[in-house]
Amino acid sequence: MNPYKVLDLSAEAEAKNIIAAAAKAMREKKYSVREIAEARRQLMNPKLRPLLDFICFADVEPLLRPADPPAESCSPDELERLDIFD
């Protein structure tokens, strides 16, 4: 669960924004009260907050793209034999 998504907040949200967003989320009833309370608790925890910032806002797009195919296909006969395994 992404607490920022549950409470519809950005990474720059302060404590007063988190509390207000939790109240708004409860009125909208988009998520359960338990999920909203857990999201608020996580974002208010000063030790957990930096970890959540990294996990929820890290740019992992480059890691998800498939690797580029090799420029040239190479047959096993063309590979150099490494002598370190002898």
Side-chain angles (χ1 to χ4, degrees):
M1 169 187 73
N2 182 340
Y4 290 101
K5 185 181 264 188
V6 172
L7 298 180
D8 193 26
L9 290 171
S10 68
E12 293 82 28
E14 297 176 0
K16 63 182 179 180
N17 303 110
I18 295 168
I19 294 168
K24 180 182 174 190
M26 285 188 194
R27 283 192 304 271
E28 292 175 352
K29 299 180 182 178
K30 189 173 178 182
Y31 294 93
S32 71
V33 174
R34 178 174 281 163
E35 289 173 314
I36 295 167
E38 181 64 19
R40 184 179 99 31
R41 185 189 65 75
Q42 289 178 354
L43 292 178
M44 296 293 283
N45 183 336
K47 292 181 180 178
L48 186 59
R49 180 81 183 261
L51 178 64
L52 290 170
D53 289 347
F54 177 77
I55 291 171
C56 297
F57 294 104
D59 182 19
V60 295
E61 183 63 31
L63 303 174
L64 299 177
R65 279 187 246 139
D68 294 331
E72 299 176 19
S73 62
C74 186
S75 70
D77 297 333
E78 297 172 1
L79 296 175
E80 284 186 39
R81 185 171 175 275
L82 298 176
D83 59 356
I84 62 171
F85 298 109
D86 290 337

Coordinates of all heavy atoms in Angstrom, one line a residue:
M1 N 0.8 -1.2 0.0 CA 0.0 0.0 0.0 C 0.9 1.2 0.0 O 1.8 1.3 0.8 CB -0.9 0.0 1.2 CG -1.6 1.3 1.5 SD -2.5 1.4 3.0 CE -1.2 1.6 4.2
N2 N 0.6 2.2 -0.9 CA 1.3 3.4 -1.0 C 0.6 4.4 -0.1 O -0.5 4.9 -0.5 CB 1.4 3.8 -2.4 CG 2.2 5.1 -2.6 OD1 2.4 5.9 -1.7 ND2 2.6 5.4 -3.8
P3 N 1.1 4.9 1.0 CA 0.4 5.8 1.9 C 0.1 7.2 1.2 O -0.8 7.8 1.5 CB 1.2 5.9 3.1 CG 2.6 5.5 2.7 CD 2.4 4.5 1.6
Y4 N 1.0 7.5 0.3 CA 0.9 8.8 -0.4 C -0.3 8.7 -1.3 O -1.1 9.7 -1.5 CB 2.1 9.1 -1.2 CG 3.3 9.5 -0.3 CD1 4.3 8.6 0.0 CD2 3.4 10.8 0.2 CE1 5.4 8.9 0.8 CE2 4.5 11.1 1.0 CZ 5.4 10.2 1.3 OH 6.5 10.6 2.1
K5 N -0.6 7.6 -1.9 CA -1.7 7.4 -2.8 C -3.0 7.4 -2.0 O -4.0 8.0 -2.4 CB -1.5 6.1 -3.6 CG -2.6 5.9 -4.7 CD -2.4 4.7 -5.4 CE -1.7 5.0 -6.7 NZ -1.6 3.8 -7.6
V6 N -3.0 6.7 -0.9 CA -4.2 6.6 -0.1 C -4.6 7.9 0.4 O -5.8 8.3 0.3 CB -3.9 5.6 1.2 CG1 -5.1 5.7 2.1 CG2 -3.7 4.2 0.7
L7 N -3.7 8.8 0.8 CA -4.0 10.1 1.3 C -3.9 11.2 0.3 O -4.2 12.3 0.5 CB -3.1 10.4 2.5 CG -3.3 9.5 3.7 CD1 -2.3 10.0 4.8 CD2 -4.7 9.4 4.2
D8 N -3.6 10.8 -1.0 CA -3.5 11.8 -2.1 C -2.6 12.9 -1.7 O -3.0 14.1 -1.8 CB -4.9 12.3 -2.5 CG -4.9 13.0 -3.8 OD1 -4.0 12.7 -4.6 OD2 -5.7 13.8 -4.1
L9 N -1.3 12.6 -1.4 CA -0.3 13.6 -0.9 C 0.9 13.5 -1.8 O 1.2 12.5 -2.4 CB 0.1 13.3 0.5 CG -1.0 13.6 1.6 CD1 -0.5 13.1 2.9 CD2 -1.3 15.1 1.7
S10 N 1.7 14.6 -1.8 CA 3.0 14.6 -2.4 C 4.1 14.3 -1.3 O 3.8 14.3 -0.1 CB 3.3 15.9 -3.1 OG 3.4 16.9 -2.1
A11 N 5.3 14.1 -1.8 CA 6.4 13.8 -0.8 C 6.7 15.0 0.1 O 7.3 14.9 1.1 CB 7.6 13.5 -1.6
E12 N 6.3 16.2 -0.3 CA 6.6 17.4 0.5 C 5.5 17.7 1.6 O 5.6 18.7 2.3 CB 6.7 18.6 -0.4 CG 7.8 18.6 -1.4 CD 7.6 17.8 -2.6 OE1 6.4 17.7 -3.0 OE2 8.5 17.3 -3.2
A13 N 4.6 16.8 1.7 CA 3.5 17.0 2.7 C 4.0 17.1 4.1 O 4.9 16.3 4.5 CB 2.5 15.9 2.6
E14 N 3.5 18.1 4.9 CA 3.9 18.2 6.3 C 2.8 17.6 7.2 O 1.8 17.1 6.7 CB 4.0 19.7 6.6 CG 5.1 20.4 5.8 CD 5.1 21.9 6.1 OE1 4.3 22.4 6.9 OE2 6.0 22.6 5.5
A15 N 3.0 17.6 8.5 CA 2.2 16.9 9.4 C 0.7 17.4 9.3 O -0.2 16.6 9.3 CB 2.7 17.1 10.8
K16 N 0.5 18.8 9.2 CA -0.8 19.3 9.1 C -1.5 18.9 7.8 O -2.7 18.6 7.8 CB -0.8 20.8 9.3 CG -0.1 21.5 8.2 CD -0.1 23.0 8.4 CE 0.7 23.7 7.2 NZ 0.7 25.1 7.4
N17 N -0.8 18.7 6.8 CA -1.3 18.3 5.5 C -1.7 16.8 5.6 O -2.7 16.4 5.0 CB -0.3 18.4 4.4 CG 0.2 19.8 4.2 OD1 1.3 20.1 4.5 ND2 -0.7 20.7 3.7
I18 N -0.9 16.0 6.3 CA -1.2 14.6 6.5 C -2.5 14.4 7.2 O -3.4 13.6 6.9 CB -0.1 13.8 7.1 CG1 1.2 13.9 6.2 CG2 -0.4 12.4 7.5 CD1 2.5 13.5 6.9
I19 N -2.7 15.1 8.3 CA -3.9 15.0 9.2 C -5.1 15.5 8.4 O -6.2 14.8 8.4 CB -3.7 15.9 10.4 CG1 -2.6 15.2 11.3 CG2 -5.0 16.0 11.2 CD1 -2.1 16.1 12.4
A20 N -5.0 16.6 7.6 CA -6.1 17.1 6.8 C -6.5 16.1 5.7 O -7.6 15.8 5.4 CB -5.8 18.4 6.2
A21 N -5.5 15.5 5.1 CA -5.7 14.5 4.0 C -6.4 13.2 4.6 O -7.2 12.6 3.9 CB -4.4 14.2 3.4
A22 N -6.0 12.8 5.8 CA -6.6 11.7 6.4 C -8.1 11.9 6.7 O -9.0 11.1 6.4 CB -5.9 11.3 7.7
A23 N -8.4 13.1 7.2 CA -9.8 13.5 7.4 C -10.6 13.5 6.1 O -11.7 13.0 6.0 CB -9.9 14.8 8.1
K24 N -10.0 14.1 5.1 CA -10.6 14.1 3.7 C -10.9 12.7 3.2 O -11.9 12.4 2.6 CB -9.8 14.9 2.8 CG -10.4 15.1 1.4 CD -9.4 15.8 0.5 CE -10.0 15.8 -0.9 NZ -9.0 16.3 -1.9
A25 N -9.9 11.9 3.3 CA -10.0 10.5 2.8 C -11.1 9.7 3.5 O -11.8 8.9 2.9 CB -8.6 9.7 3.0
M26 N -11.3 10.0 4.8 CA -12.3 9.3 5.6 C -13.7 9.8 5.1 O -14.7 9.0 5.0 CB -12.2 9.5 7.1 CG -11.1 8.7 7.7 SD -11.1 8.9 9.5 CE -9.6 8.2 9.9
R27 N -13.8 11.1 4.8 CA -15.1 11.6 4.2 C -15.4 11.0 2.9 O -16.6 10.7 2.6 CB -15.0 13.1 4.1 CG -15.2 13.8 5.4 CD -15.4 15.3 5.3 NE -14.4 16.0 4.5 CZ -13.3 16.5 5.0 NH1 -13.1 16.5 6.3 NH2 -12.4 17.1 4.2
E28 N -14.4 10.8 2.0 CA -14.6 10.3 0.7 C -14.9 8.8 0.7 O -15.4 8.3 -0.3 CB -13.4 10.6 -0.2 CG -13.2 12.1 -0.5 CD -12.0 12.4 -1.2 OE1 -11.1 11.5 -1.4 OE2 -11.8 13.6 -1.6
K29 N -14.4 8.1 1.7 CA -14.6 6.6 1.8 C -14.1 5.8 0.6 O -14.7 4.8 0.3 CB -16.1 6.3 2.1 CG -16.6 6.9 3.3 CD -18.1 6.6 3.6 CE -18.6 7.3 4.8 NZ -20.0 7.1 5.1
K30 N -13.0 6.3 0.1 CA -12.4 5.6 -1.1 C -11.6 4.4 -0.6 O -11.5 3.4 -1.2 CB -11.5 6.6 -1.8 CG -11.0 6.0 -3.1 CD -10.2 7.1 -3.9 CE -9.6 6.6 -5.2 NZ -8.9 7.6 -5.9
Y31 N -11.0 4.5 0.7 CA -10.3 3.5 1.3 C -10.9 3.2 2.7 O -11.6 4.0 3.2 CB -8.8 3.9 1.5 CG -8.1 4.0 0.2 CD1 -8.0 5.3 -0.4 CD2 -7.5 3.0 -0.4 CE1 -7.3 5.4 -1.6 CE2 -6.8 3.1 -1.6 CZ -6.7 4.3 -2.2 OH -6.0 4.5 -3.4
S32 N -10.6 2.0 3.2 CA -11.1 1.7 4.5 C -10.5 2.6 5.6 O -9.4 3.1 5.4 CB -10.9 0.2 4.9 OG -9.5 0.0 5.1
V33 N -11.1 2.7 6.8 CA -10.6 3.5 7.9 C -9.3 2.9 8.3 O -8.4 3.7 8.6 CB -11.6 3.5 9.0 CG1 -11.1 4.2 10.3 CG2 -12.9 4.2 8.6
R34 N -9.2 1.6 8.3 CA -7.9 1.0 8.7 C -6.8 1.4 7.8 O -5.6 1.7 8.2 CB -8.1 -0.5 8.7 CG -6.8 -1.3 9.1 CD -7.0 -2.7 9.2 NE -7.6 -2.9 10.6 CZ -8.2 -4.0 11.0 NH1 -8.3 -5.0 10.2 NH2 -8.6 -4.1 12.2
E35 N -7.0 1.4 6.5 CA -6.0 1.7 5.5 C -5.6 3.2 5.7 O -4.4 3.6 5.6 CB -6.5 1.5 4.1 CG -6.6 0.0 3.7 CD -7.2 -0.2 2.3 OE1 -8.2 0.5 2.1 OE2 -6.6 -1.0 1.6
I36 N -6.6 4.1 5.9 CA -6.3 5.5 6.1 C -5.5 5.7 7.3 O -4.5 6.5 7.3 CB -7.6 6.3 6.1 CG1 -8.3 6.2 4.7 CG2 -7.4 7.7 6.5 CD1 -9.7 6.7 4.7
A37 N -5.9 5.1 8.4 CA -5.2 5.2 9.7 C -3.7 4.7 9.6 O -2.8 5.3 10.1 CB -5.9 4.5 10.8
E38 N -3.5 3.6 8.9 CA -2.2 3.0 8.7 C -1.3 4.0 7.8 O -0.2 4.2 8.1 CB -2.3 1.7 8.0 CG -1.0 1.0 7.8 CD -0.2 0.7 9.1 OE1 -0.8 0.6 10.2 OE2 1.0 0.5 9.0
A39 N -1.9 4.5 6.8 CA -1.2 5.5 5.9 C -0.8 6.7 6.7 O 0.4 7.2 6.6 CB -2.0 5.9 4.7
R40 N -1.7 7.2 7.5 CA -1.4 8.4 8.4 C -0.3 8.0 9.4 O 0.7 8.8 9.6 CB -2.6 8.9 9.1 CG -2.4 10.1 9.9 CD -3.6 10.6 10.6 NE -3.8 10.4 12.0 CZ -3.0 10.2 13.0 NH1 -1.7 10.2 12.8 NH2 -3.3 10.1 14.2
R41 N -0.4 6.9 10.0 CA 0.6 6.5 11.0 C 2.0 6.3 10.4 O 3.0 6.8 10.9 CB 0.2 5.1 11.6 CG 1.2 4.7 12.8 CD 0.9 3.3 13.2 NE 1.2 2.3 12.2 CZ 2.4 1.9 11.8 NH1 3.4 2.4 12.4 NH2 2.5 1.0 10.9
Q42 N 2.1 5.8 9.2 CA 3.3 5.6 8.5 C 4.0 6.9 8.1 O 5.2 7.1 8.3 CB 3.1 4.7 7.2 CG 2.9 3.3 7.5 CD 2.6 2.5 6.2 OE1 2.6 3.1 5.1 NE2 2.5 1.2 6.4
L43 N 3.2 7.8 7.6 CA 3.7 9.1 7.2 C 4.1 10.0 8.3 O 4.9 10.9 8.2 CB 2.7 9.8 6.2 CG 2.5 9.2 4.9 CD1 1.5 9.9 4.1 CD2 3.8 9.0 4.1
M44 N 3.5 9.8 9.5 CA 3.8 10.6 10.7 C 5.0 10.1 11.4 O 5.6 10.7 12.3 CB 2.6 10.7 11.6 CG 1.4 11.4 11.0 SD 1.7 13.1 10.7 CE 1.5 13.7 12.4
N45 N 5.5 8.9 11.0 CA 6.7 8.2 11.7 C 7.9 8.8 11.1 O 8.3 8.6 9.9 CB 6.6 6.7 11.5 CG 7.7 6.0 12.2 OD1 8.8 6.6 12.5 ND2 7.5 4.7 12.5
P46 N 8.7 9.6 11.9 CA 9.9 10.2 11.3 C 11.0 9.2 10.9 O 11.8 9.6 10.0 CB 10.4 11.1 12.4 CG 9.8 10.6 13.7 CD 8.5 9.9 13.3
K47 N 11.0 8.0 11.4 CA 12.0 7.1 11.0 C 11.6 6.3 9.8 O 12.4 5.9 9.0 CB 12.2 6.0 12.1 CG 12.9 6.6 13.3 CD 13.1 5.6 14.4 CE 13.8 6.3 15.6 NZ 14.0 5.3 16.7
L48 N 10.3 6.2 9.5 CA 9.8 5.4 8.4 C 9.6 6.3 7.2 O 9.7 5.9 6.0 CB 8.5 4.8 8.8 CG 7.8 3.8 7.8 CD1 8.8 2.7 7.4 CD2 6.5 3.3 8.3
R49 N 9.4 7.6 7.4 CA 9.1 8.5 6.3 C 10.2 8.6 5.2 O 9.9 8.5 4.0 CB 8.9 9.9 6.9 CG 8.5 11.0 5.9 CD 7.1 10.9 5.5 NE 6.8 11.9 4.5 CZ 6.2 13.1 4.7 NH1 5.9 13.4 6.0 NH2 6.0 13.9 3.8
P50 N 11.5 8.7 5.5 CA 12.5 8.7 4.4 C 12.5 7.4 3.6 O 12.7 7.5 2.4 CB 13.8 8.8 5.2 CG 13.5 9.4 6.5 CD 12.1 8.9 6.8
L51 N 12.2 6.3 4.2 CA 12.1 5.0 3.5 C 10.9 5.0 2.6 O 11.0 4.6 1.4 CB 12.0 3.8 4.5 CG 11.9 2.5 3.8 CD1 13.1 2.1 3.0 CD2 11.7 1.4 4.9
L52 N 9.8 5.5 3.0 CA 8.6 5.6 2.2 C 8.8 6.6 1.0 O 8.4 6.3 -0.1 CB 7.4 6.1 3.0 CG 6.9 5.0 4.0 CD1 5.9 5.7 4.9 CD2 6.3 3.8 3.3
D53 N 9.5 7.7 1.3 CA 9.8 8.6 0.2 C 10.6 8.0 -0.9 O 10.4 8.1 -2.0 CB 10.6 9.8 0.8 CG 9.8 10.7 1.6 OD1 8.5 10.6 1.6 OD2 10.3 11.6 2.3
F54 N 11.6 7.1 -0.5 CA 12.4 6.5 -1.5 C 11.6 5.4 -2.2 O 11.7 5.4 -3.5 CB 13.6 5.8 -0.8 CG 14.5 5.0 -1.7 CD1 15.3 5.7 -2.6 CD2 14.4 3.6 -1.8 CE1 16.1 5.0 -3.5 CE2 15.2 2.9 -2.7 CZ 16.0 3.6 -3.5
I55 N 10.9 4.6 -1.5 CA 10.1 3.5 -2.1 C 9.0 4.0 -3.0 O 8.8 3.5 -4.2 CB 9.5 2.6 -1.1 CG1 10.6 1.8 -0.3 CG2 8.5 1.6 -1.7 CD1 10.2 1.0 0.9
C56 N 8.3 5.0 -2.6 CA 7.2 5.5 -3.3 C 7.5 6.5 -4.5 O 6.7 6.6 -5.4 CB 6.2 6.2 -2.4 SG 5.5 5.0 -1.1
F57 N 8.7 7.1 -4.4 CA 9.0 8.1 -5.4 C 10.3 7.8 -6.2 O 10.7 8.7 -7.0 CB 9.0 9.5 -4.8 CG 7.7 10.0 -4.3 CD1 7.4 10.0 -2.9 CD2 6.7 10.4 -5.1 CE1 6.2 10.4 -2.4 CE2 5.5 10.8 -4.7 CZ 5.2 10.8 -3.3
A58 N 10.9 6.7 -6.0 CA 12.1 6.4 -6.7 C 11.7 6.1 -8.2 O 10.7 5.5 -8.5 CB 12.8 5.1 -6.1
D59 N 12.6 6.5 -9.1 CA 12.3 6.4 -10.5 C 12.9 5.0 -10.9 O 14.1 4.8 -11.1 CB 13.0 7.5 -11.3 CG 12.8 7.3 -12.8 OD1 11.8 6.6 -13.2 OD2 13.5 7.9 -13.6
V60 N 12.0 4.0 -11.0 CA 12.5 2.7 -11.4 C 12.2 2.3 -12.8 O 12.4 1.2 -13.3 CB 11.8 1.6 -10.5 CG1 12.2 1.8 -9.0 CG2 10.3 1.7 -10.6
E61 N 11.7 3.3 -13.6 CA 11.4 3.1 -15.0 C 12.6 2.5 -15.8 O 12.4 1.6 -16.6 CB 10.9 4.4 -15.6 CG 10.4 4.3 -17.1 CD 9.3 3.3 -17.2 OE1 8.4 3.2 -16.3 OE2 9.2 2.7 -18.3
P62 N 13.8 3.1 -15.6 CA 14.9 2.5 -16.4 C 15.1 1.0 -16.0 O 15.6 0.3 -16.9 CB 16.1 3.3 -15.9 CG 15.5 4.6 -15.4 CD 14.2 4.2 -14.9
L63 N 14.8 0.6 -14.9 CA 15.0 -0.8 -14.5 C 13.9 -1.7 -15.1 O 14.1 -2.9 -15.2 CB 15.0 -0.9 -13.0 CG 16.0 -0.1 -12.2 CD1 15.8 -0.2 -10.7 CD2 17.4 -0.5 -12.6
L64 N 12.8 -1.2 -15.4 CA 11.7 -2.0 -15.9 C 11.7 -2.1 -17.4 O 11.1 -3.0 -18.0 CB 10.3 -1.3 -15.5 CG 10.1 -1.2 -14.0 CD1 8.8 -0.4 -13.8 CD2 10.1 -2.5 -13.4
R65 N 12.4 -1.3 -18.1 CA 12.5 -1.4 -19.6 C 13.3 -2.6 -20.0 O 14.3 -2.9 -19.3 CB 13.2 -0.2 -20.2 CG 12.2 1.0 -20.3 CD 12.8 2.1 -21.0 NE 13.0 3.2 -20.1 CZ 14.0 4.0 -19.9 NH1 15.0 3.9 -20.7 NH2 14.0 4.9 -19.0
P66 N 12.9 -3.3 -21.0 CA 13.7 -4.5 -21.4 C 15.1 -4.1 -22.0 O 15.2 -3.0 -22.5 CB 12.9 -5.1 -22.6 CG 11.9 -4.1 -23.0 CD 11.7 -3.1 -21.9
A67 N 16.0 -4.9 -21.8 CA 17.4 -4.6 -22.2 C 17.4 -4.5 -23.7 O 16.7 -5.2 -24.4 CB 18.4 -5.7 -21.7
D68 N 18.3 -3.6 -24.2 CA 18.4 -3.5 -25.7 C 19.0 -4.8 -26.2 O 19.9 -5.3 -25.6 CB 19.3 -2.3 -26.0 CG 18.7 -1.0 -25.6 OD1 17.4 -0.9 -25.6 OD2 19.4 0.0 -25.3
P69 N 18.6 -5.2 -27.4 CA 19.1 -6.4 -28.0 C 20.6 -6.1 -28.4 O 21.0 -5.0 -28.7 CB 18.3 -6.7 -29.2 CG 17.6 -5.4 -29.5 CD 17.5 -4.6 -28.2
P70 N 21.4 -7.2 -28.4 CA 22.8 -6.9 -28.8 C 22.9 -6.4 -30.3 O 22.1 -6.8 -31.1 CB 23.5 -8.3 -28.7 CG 22.4 -9.3 -28.5 CD 21.1 -8.5 -28.1
A71 N 23.9 -5.6 -30.5 CA 24.0 -5.0 -31.8 C 24.3 -6.0 -32.9 O 23.7 -6.0 -34.0 CB 25.1 -3.9 -31.8
E72 N 25.1 -7.0 -32.6 CA 25.4 -8.1 -33.6 C 25.2 -9.4 -32.9 O 25.6 -9.6 -31.7 CB 26.9 -7.9 -34.0 CG 27.2 -6.7 -34.7 CD 28.7 -6.6 -35.0 OE1 29.4 -7.7 -35.0 OE2 29.2 -5.5 -35.2
S73 N 24.7 -10.3 -33.6 CA 24.6 -11.7 -33.0 C 25.9 -12.3 -33.1 O 26.7 -12.1 -34.0 CB 23.5 -12.5 -33.8 OG 23.9 -12.7 -35.1
C74 N 26.2 -13.1 -32.1 CA 27.5 -13.7 -32.0 C 27.4 -15.2 -31.8 O 26.6 -15.7 -31.0 CB 28.2 -13.1 -30.8 SG 29.9 -13.6 -30.6
S75 N 28.0 -16.0 -32.7 CA 27.9 -17.5 -32.5 C 29.0 -17.9 -31.5 O 30.0 -17.2 -31.3 CB 28.2 -18.1 -33.9 OG 29.5 -18.0 -34.3
P76 N 28.8 -19.1 -30.9 CA 29.7 -19.6 -29.9 C 31.1 -19.8 -30.5 O 32.1 -19.6 -29.8 CB 29.2 -20.9 -29.5 CG 27.7 -20.8 -29.8 CD 27.6 -19.9 -31.0
D77 N 31.3 -20.0 -31.8 CA 32.6 -20.2 -32.4 C 33.4 -18.8 -32.4 O 34.6 -18.8 -32.5 CB 32.5 -20.7 -33.8 CG 31.8 -22.1 -33.9 OD1 32.0 -22.8 -32.9 OD2 31.2 -22.4 -34.9
E78 N 32.7 -17.7 -32.4 CA 33.3 -16.4 -32.5 C 33.7 -15.9 -31.1 O 34.5 -14.9 -31.0 CB 32.4 -15.4 -33.1 CG 32.0 -15.7 -34.5 CD 30.9 -14.8 -35.1 OE1 30.5 -13.9 -34.3 OE2 30.5 -15.0 -36.2
L79 N 33.3 -16.6 -30.1 CA 33.7 -16.1 -28.7 C 35.1 -16.5 -28.4 O 35.6 -17.5 -28.7 CB 32.7 -16.7 -27.7 CG 31.3 -16.3 -27.8 CD1 30.4 -17.1 -26.8 CD2 31.1 -14.8 -27.6
E80 N 35.8 -15.6 -27.6 CA 37.1 -15.9 -27.2 C 37.1 -16.8 -26.0 O 36.2 -16.7 -25.1 CB 37.8 -14.6 -26.8 CG 38.3 -13.7 -27.9 CD 39.1 -12.6 -27.4 OE1 39.9 -12.7 -26.5 OE2 38.9 -11.5 -28.0
R81 N 38.0 -17.7 -25.9 CA 38.0 -18.6 -24.8 C 38.9 -18.0 -23.7 O 40.0 -17.5 -23.9 CB 38.7 -19.9 -25.2 CG 38.7 -21.0 -24.2 CD 39.1 -22.3 -24.8 NE 39.3 -23.3 -23.7 CZ 40.3 -23.4 -23.0 NH1 41.4 -22.7 -23.1 NH2 40.3 -24.4 -22.0
L82 N 38.3 -18.0 -22.5 CA 39.0 -17.4 -21.4 C 39.9 -18.5 -20.7 O 39.5 -19.6 -20.4 CB 38.1 -16.8 -20.3 CG 37.2 -15.7 -20.8 CD1 36.2 -15.3 -19.7 CD2 38.0 -14.5 -21.2
D83 N 41.2 -18.1 -20.5 CA 42.1 -19.1 -20.0 C 42.1 -19.1 -18.4 O 42.8 -20.0 -17.8 CB 43.5 -18.9 -20.5 CG 44.0 -17.6 -20.2 OD1 43.3 -16.7 -19.6 OD2 45.2 -17.3 -20.5
I84 N 41.3 -18.3 -17.8 CA 41.3 -18.3 -16.3 C 40.7 -19.5 -15.8 O 40.8 -19.8 -14.6 CB 40.6 -17.0 -15.8 CG1 39.2 -16.9 -16.3 CG2 41.4 -15.7 -16.2 CD1 38.4 -15.8 -15.6
F85 N 39.9 -20.2 -16.6 CA 39.2 -21.4 -16.1 C 40.0 -22.7 -16.3 O 39.6 -23.8 -16.0 CB 37.9 -21.6 -16.7 CG 37.0 -20.4 -16.4 CD1 36.6 -19.5 -17.3 CD2 36.5 -20.2 -15.1 CE1 35.8 -18.4 -17.0 CE2 35.6 -19.2 -14.8 CZ 35.3 -18.3 -15.7
D86 N 41.2 -22.6 -16.9 CA 42.1 -23.8 -17.1 C 42.7 -24.3 -15.9 O 43.0 -23.6 -15.0 CB 43.1 -23.5 -18.2 CG 42.5 -23.3 -19.6 OD1 41.4 -23.8 -19.8 OD2 43.1 -22.6 -20.4

